[in-house]
Amino acid sequence: FSITRKSTNEVLFNTTGYPLVFEPQYLRVKTSLPTNANIYGLGEHTNSFRLPPENTVRTLWNRDAYGVANGTNLYSDHPVYFEHRTTGTHGVFLLNSNGMDVKLQTVNGATTLEYNAIGGILDFYFLAGPGPLDVAKQYAAVVGLPAEIPYWGLGLHQCRYGYQNYYEVAQVVANYSAANIPLETMWTDIDYMYERLVFTNDPQYFPLSRMREIVSDLHARGQQYIVMVDPAVGVKPGISKAYDRGQALGVWMKNPDGSNFQGIVWPGVTVWPDWFNPKTPAYWANEFQLFFNPQSGIDIDGVWIDMNEPASFCTYPCANPSAEAISQNMPPSRTSPPPASTLSLPIGTSVPSLASNLLKRDSMYTNVLNPPYTINNAAGNLSDRTAFTNVIHSNGLIEYDTHNLYGTMMSSTTRDAMAKRRPGLRTFVITRSTFAGAGAQVGKWLGDNLSTWEHYRNSIAGMLGFASLFQVPEVGSDVCGFGANTTETLCARWATLGAFNPFYRNHNGDTSISQEFYRWPTVAQAARNAIDMRYRLLDYFYTALHQAHLDGTPVLQPLWFQYPKDANTYGIDLQFFFGDSVLVSPVTQENVTSVSVYFPDDVFYDFKSYAVTNGTGAAVDLSNVDYTQIPVHIRGGVVLPLRVSSAYTTKQLRKKDFELVVAPDRSGKASGSLYIDDGVSITQAKTYTAQYTYSGKQLKVSTKGSFDVGGLKYRTVKLLGVQSAPSSVSLNGHTLASSAIAYNSTSHSVAVNVTQPLSSSFTLKWT
């Protein structure tokens, strides 16, 4: 069969000459592609953003993938690709949760894409475009529009696997304050648990009363707290109440003989909730209500879910989980004595000012443990270090078909559990494993990367995949790297790059050196500088997130999304747009202070100096880029709403006034928008929107909505690219005094003091 674009008669998908194979455990569909095809997607992976068409195999089978090795299957399954041509863009989505290899090959000049699935059905969606943003929106309409997150979720997050006790957690919070580095949310990994048992806290190392005190202090300072929750529940009758309650309800995944499927995770021998069991959502919500109870438990603001591929430490065939858990020393022993339970916390109470329905069907599979077609799973056997593929769910489905859905089903169930804790408020859930449509429920971090320059570079393509293609906008890497030891220069560069990840978190492992931003002077200054830019841009980006929720417009964009006719942009994955207008071009090599930046044929303005760059569709070398800086440019044609200054918390930030930066395109026009709500509610009773249009030396600001913005004001309007000082400036028809106007002949910019209420509409003209 073939799929043709009606307007141009261009063939987009063509299986002619390639026989379709449809067997119970092997499905093959093969299509021809243009030579040197531009294919993007088929994640999760750490390949280049544009997949090499010569010999690439993308395996889709979710696995625990420490080190996120190039060319291997990782934590998530997104069987969708975008193909871009100079004539347009289209997308292909195969809604199939089974394991598969997707092969891109070029043989004798002929390029093809071939699906090799080990089960399921062929349920294709063809997304017509014709532009890349159109395809993104069409895909969002199929899998679900992204969820809105709380405003505070865009602040800086700090975590580490290996914080030894409650006092160390509190000390990190205090150290960020002392270093004057804005910290929004403090996290704790599984260290807080008693013997690594989910829904417990260690009474000696993380006593409940002290944890509640930490959370209380954070909340008093306008900050938040998040902990990890794993899906695996330790088989510890009488010790783990979560296990006892789940066992009584019968909510665990089952072996074919009806017994509980068991494996090994951090607490030792474990079982896993069966998300298909109708009793599981209530069970999970109850555990959250009990352990995270605001009055008697740890009152978390968000939650981090991990190990949900699902991951197991047990090597297939895992004949004796108990013996293997002992040999692996699970749960691991504590390596330090407990702190005194009466230590005074150093935090203080002030901060510095600065899925869809599935139908059961009869299986015709002959061997789900060792299927006849072997996909290129980096873990080897499909059941190795995960749930066995012959596990039976309560509705009769088998893990062989549903494996890749486990993390996303946990995500939606966890989101519902969090929503029941705080009815009416947006949830903030970060997961490791995802399937198509996960962004409608949760955010995603890119897993256990390493502290290397290669992984620093790979993180850009990784987040572009999720935010630009897969409709999971709240995404980011472990800043400075999770495994191995970072360096001062790598962490400094990553602190600046991380500030332009939608999800911005410093996190690393227990065997690595400490890497909080305050550990090195260079890193601390890099973080301050980058957070200053991020926080001033936060409402611009929050507006982009709101638009994504409305129609699927990506919040991060590769250059070719904005310049689809420029073939030079098709392979660029070390630069990207933050929102649709802020070009980020990080230094990506070790021990250098220069970077080659590609500027399409357009006008750009330096974010800090406002200096103009007239792009010619060529690379420009930027030199003397200090380790505490990152090159950022404004694309011509935009009006940027910025906070006039940064703040220590997002709660403080929301009290800062605004300025407008008008960056005209070559025709002298620009536009932009601003969206404000209360930042936390799922349903907004009142909102505020502003539209900005600039043309013919006139800026119009039009506002609507009844959300109370208080006394917030537009302090200044800055016009960029002005070759000479204006002779006259008027506000709403009234000529302004010369003292309200400042022209900078170096940056060719004009700053006008307007001091207009944010709730007002006004017109500014100059001649």
Side-chain angles (χ1 to χ4, degrees):
F1 67 95
S2 64
I3 303 295
T4 303
R5 190 185 299 281
K6 186 176 181 180
S7 61
T8 62
N9 290 322
E10 187 175 14
V11 177
L12 307 181
F13 195 92
N14 186 10
T15 67
T16 302
Y18 306 115
L20 170 71
V21 178
F22 196 98
E23 298 288 345
Q25 288 185 263
Y26 182 62
L27 289 70
R28 187 184 72 189
V29 177
K30 189 173 185 177
T31 178
S32 55
L33 294 174
T35 302
N36 202 32
N38 300 302
I39 302 293
Y40 309 84
L42 300 172
E44 179 182 4
H45 60 76
T46 49
N47 297 48
S48 56
F49 186 56
R50 175 182 178 268
L51 295 171
E54 295 79 19
N55 187 26
T56 295
V57 178
R58 287 294 314 115
T59 299
L60 304 182
W61 184 257
N62 299 348
R63 71 180 182 99
D64 183 357
Y66 176 85
V68 292
N70 292 94
T72 67
N73 52 309
L74 303 180
Y75 309 99
S76 297
D77 174 12
H78 293 270
V80 60
Y81 72 83
F82 287 28
E83 184 192 342
H84 180 65
R85 307 176 185 179
T86 55
T87 54
T89 309
H90 66 276
V92 179
F93 172 43
L94 173 57
L95 181 52
N96 182 321
S97 60
N98 285 80
M100 68 180 73
D101 285 336
V102 184
K103 298 179 179 181
L104 273 169
Q105 295 177 309
T106 301
V107 179
N108 297 325
T111 302
T112 58
L113 184 146
E114 178 181 293
Y115 294 93
N116 297 268
I118 59 173
I121 61 174
L122 297 177
D123 188 5
F124 279 103
Y125 291 76
F126 294 95
L127 312 170
L133 295 177
D134 299 315
V135 176
K137 294 176 184 179
Q138 291 156 5
Y139 182 62
V142 173
V143 300
L145 292 163
E148 290 193 290
I149 64 168
Y151 187 90
W152 60 259
L154 295 174
L156 172 67
H157 302 259
Q158 175 61 50
C159 186
R160 183 181 185 183
Y161 174 36
Y163 288 139
Q164 298 293 312
N165 53 63
Y166 77 91
Y167 188 80
E168 188 173 357
V169 171
Q171 189 65 61
V172 170
V173 176
N175 289 346
Y176 267 94
S177 293
N180 207 29
I181 302 173
L183 175 66
E184 184 69 21
T185 306
M186 188 64 197
W187 296 44
T188 306
D189 208 309
I190 58 175
D191 308 283
Y192 76 93
M193 300 176 186
Y194 174 68
E195 294 189 351
R196 302 299 194 259
L197 292 167
V198 70
F199 302 118
T200 69
N201 62 283
D202 191 303
Q204 290 186 294
Y205 291 82
F206 293 87
L208 180 59
S209 61
R210 305 317 306 272
M211 297 303 292
R212 285 179 54 78
E213 186 179 350
I214 288 173
V215 174
S216 177
D217 286 353
L218 287 169
H219 288 173
R221 293 157 52 98
Q223 294 168 299
Q224 282 70 230
Y225 186 60
I226 287 175
V227 298
M228 176 184 280
V229 173
D230 284 340
V233 178
V235 181
K236 298 288 180 68
I239 298 175
S240 170
K241 300 302 182 184
Y243 171 77
D244 292 341
R245 287 186 284 265
Q247 179 69 7
L249 291 170
V251 297
W252 314 130
M253 293 200 296
K254 304 294 185 183
N255 290 310
D257 64 4
S259 61
N260 292 339
F261 171 74
Q262 294 186 345
I264 303 171
V265 191
W266 298 110
V269 178
T270 59
V271 289
W272 283 266
D274 177 1
W275 308 115
F276 289 100
N277 190 316
K279 297 179 181 179
T280 301
Y283 159 75
W284 199 245
N286 184 56
E287 296 304 321
F288 270 74
Q289 293 277 20
L290 292 172
F291 187 68
F292 299 120
N293 187 289
Q295 284 73 45
S296 58
I298 302 175
D299 187 17
I300 56 173
D301 300 281
V303 65
W304 170 28
I305 53 178
D306 188 19
M307 305 293 285
N308 54 351
E309 292 71 35
S312 171
F313 300 147
C314 206
T315 305
Y316 184 79
C318 193
N320 190 337
S322 297
E324 193 162 339
I326 293 172
S327 69
Q328 293 186 29
N329 190 34
M330 294 294 165
S333 303
R334 297 279 184 181
T335 58
S336 63
S341 61
T342 56
L343 294 175
S344 177
L345 294 183
I347 298 178
T349 56
S350 62
V351 295
S353 344
L354 179 77
S356 61
N357 293 325
L358 294 171
L359 298 178
K360 179 180 175 181
R361 61 188 176 87
D362 293 333
S363 173
M364 297 178 63
Y365 301 154
T366 57
N367 190 339
V368 297
L369 291 175
N370 295 287
Y373 178 84
T374 303
I375 61 174
N376 192 34
N377 179 26
N381 189 287
L382 295 180
S383 298
D384 192 40
R385 296 179 176 271
T386 187
F388 288 8
T389 50
N390 66 348
V391 161
I392 307 294
H393 293 280
S394 72
N395 59 357
L397 293 175
I398 60 173
E399 186 70 3
Y400 184 84
D401 291 321
T402 65
H403 170 85
N404 287 337
L405 301 176
Y406 193 88
T408 294
M409 293 191 72
M410 180 189 184
S411 296
S412 60
T413 307
T414 301
R415 179 180 184 271
D416 291 345
M418 288 293 288
K420 288 180 179 178
R421 289 183 63 250
R422 294 180 174 181
L425 298 185
R426 296 173 188 166
T427 59
F428 189 80
V429 180
I430 298 296
T431 184
R432 187 167 78 174
S433 181
T434 60
F435 185 71
Q441 308 284 339
V442 296
K444 148 84 178 169
W445 103 100
L446 295 175
D448 296 341
N449 60 1
L450 303 178
S451 297
T452 68
W453 286 88
E454 179 186 23
H455 284 204
Y456 163 84
R457 292 187 290 270
N458 290 347
S459 71
I460 302 173
M463 67 177 180
L464 282 176
F466 279 89
S468 306
L469 308 180
F470 306 147
Q471 290 294 334
V472 186
E474 184 63 0
V475 62
S477 65
D478 279 346
V479 172
C480 300
F482 176 78
N485 292 326
T486 193
T487 65
E488 182 173 2
T489 54
L490 174 60
C491 200
R493 291 292 189 209
W494 216 327
T496 62
L497 172 60
F500 294 92
N501 286 208
F503 174 52
Y504 185 22
R505 182 184 70 166
N506 181 331
H507 175 55
N508 71 327
D510 61 336
T511 59
S512 306
I513 62 172
S514 297
Q515 64 180 36
E516 293 85 3
F517 288 155
Y518 53 76
R519 298 285 177 177
W520 302 271
T522 304
V523 178
Q525 190 58 49
R528 294 186 200 104
N529 293 346
I531 294 171
D532 178 82
M533 284 193 288
R534 178 184 178 90
Y535 279 21
R536 292 185 63 215
L537 280 162
L538 211 62
D539 293 86
Y540 154 81
F541 193 68
Y542 187 76
T543 301
L545 283 166
H546 177 65
Q547 192 63 41
H549 175 68
L550 294 178
D551 68 6
T553 300
V555 301
L556 298 183
Q557 297 180 19
L559 271 64
W560 64 268
F561 271 36
Q562 288 295 321
Y563 302 95
K565 299 290 187 182
D566 185 350
N568 293 327
T569 65
Y570 299 167
I572 292 177
D573 58 9
L574 296 179
Q575 296 173 252
F576 60 96
F577 281 105
F578 184 71
D580 63 0
S581 305
V582 176
L583 179 64
V584 182
S585 308
V587 175
T588 56
Q589 299 296 324
E590 185 175 10
N591 297 327
V592 299
T593 54
S594 62
V595 60
S596 179
V597 176
Y598 183 81
F599 288 106
D601 186 10
D602 207 345
V603 62
F604 295 85
Y605 304 85
D606 184 274
F607 181 79
K608 289 190 172 181
S609 72
Y610 304 139
V612 180
T613 296
N614 278 299
T616 60
V620 174
D621 290 331
L622 302 183
S623 57
N624 300 317
V625 182
D626 191 83
Y627 285 103
T628 64
Q629 303 294 333
I630 183 170
V632 176
H633 293 82
I634 304 168
R635 179 175 59 83
V638 64
V639 179
L640 277 183
L642 305 176
R643 297 283 181 170
V644 294
S645 62
S646 182
Y648 194 82
T649 66
T650 60
K651 185 176 181 180
Q652 292 177 334
L653 184 67
R654 288 174 65 88
K655 300 176 182 178
K656 301 286 185 177
D657 288 335
F658 283 86
E659 66 178 11
L660 296 177
V661 176
V662 182
D665 60 18
R666 285 173 174 165
S667 67
K669 297 179 179 180
S671 62
S673 62
L674 174 64
Y675 171 80
I676 298 176
D677 58 22
D678 69 12
V680 294
S681 298
I682 295 173
T683 301
Q684 296 289 336
K686 300 177 180 180
T687 63
Y688 165 96
T689 58
Q691 296 294 328
Y692 314 117
T693 55
Y694 175 76
S695 180
K697 296 185 178 181
Q698 175 177 280
L699 173 68
K700 290 187 176 180
V701 176
S702 302
T703 64
K704 66 178 182 178
S706 56
F707 180 77
D708 184 6
V709 294
L712 292 179
K713 294 179 174 59
Y714 290 109
R715 287 290 178 185
T716 59
V717 173
K718 295 178 179 178
L719 176 65
L720 311 187
V722 181
Q723 295 306 308
S724 59
S727 58
S728 175
V729 179
S730 65
L731 176 63
N732 293 331
H734 301 285
T735 301
L736 294 175
S738 59
S739 59
I741 307 162
Y743 177 70
N744 187 315
S745 59
T746 302
S747 63
H748 300 292
S749 63
V750 178
V752 182
N753 184 354
V754 294
T755 315
Q756 291 293 296
L758 197 68
S759 57
S760 67
S761 298
F762 62 90
T763 300
L764 197 68
K765 297 182 181 179
W766 41 82
T767 57

